[in-house]
Amino acid sequence: MRIVADLTRCQGYAQCVFLAPEVFELHGEEALLYDPAVPDDQLERVRQAAAACPVQAILMGEEVSADVR
C-alpha cells in the first residue's frame, strides 16, 4: 500500500505520528517525514492515522495516483 501526505494541507497536528510512529515522523515542529510504502503490518495504524487527520492530508491506496508525490 502506498500513501501520500499532502504537505500543503498538513498543519502539524501530529495525529499520524501518534497513531503510526513507524511510518510518520515529525521533524522539528512542522516538517512531516513519512515512508510512502507502508509495510503490511502498519496498514491498520496508517488507516487510523488517515482517518484522524484533522485536515485529511493523508491519501491511501486507490486515492494515490502515480503522478502525486
Side-chain angles (χ1 to χ4, degrees):
M1 169 86 54
R2 293 191 61 76
I3 60 169
V4 170
D6 183 343
L7 300 178
T8 61
R9 294 180 86 178
C10 178
Q11 297 294 308
Y13 292 106
Q15 295 302 308
C16 57
V17 177
F18 293 120
L19 292 166
E22 300 213 7
V23 176
F24 299 99
E25 176 184 348
L26 202 56
H27 185 69
E29 291 186 25
E30 294 182 1
L32 181 67
L33 304 175
Y34 67 98
D35 184 352
V38 178
D40 289 340
D41 67 336
Q42 295 296 309
L43 285 176
E44 185 55 34
R45 288 177 175 255
V46 171
R47 282 188 185 101
Q48 292 172 358
C53 180
V55 294
Q56 300 299 293
I58 302 169
L59 303 175
M60 296 183 63
E62 296 171 6
E63 300 170 348
V64 177
S65 78
D67 296 331
V68 178
R69 293 180 198 191

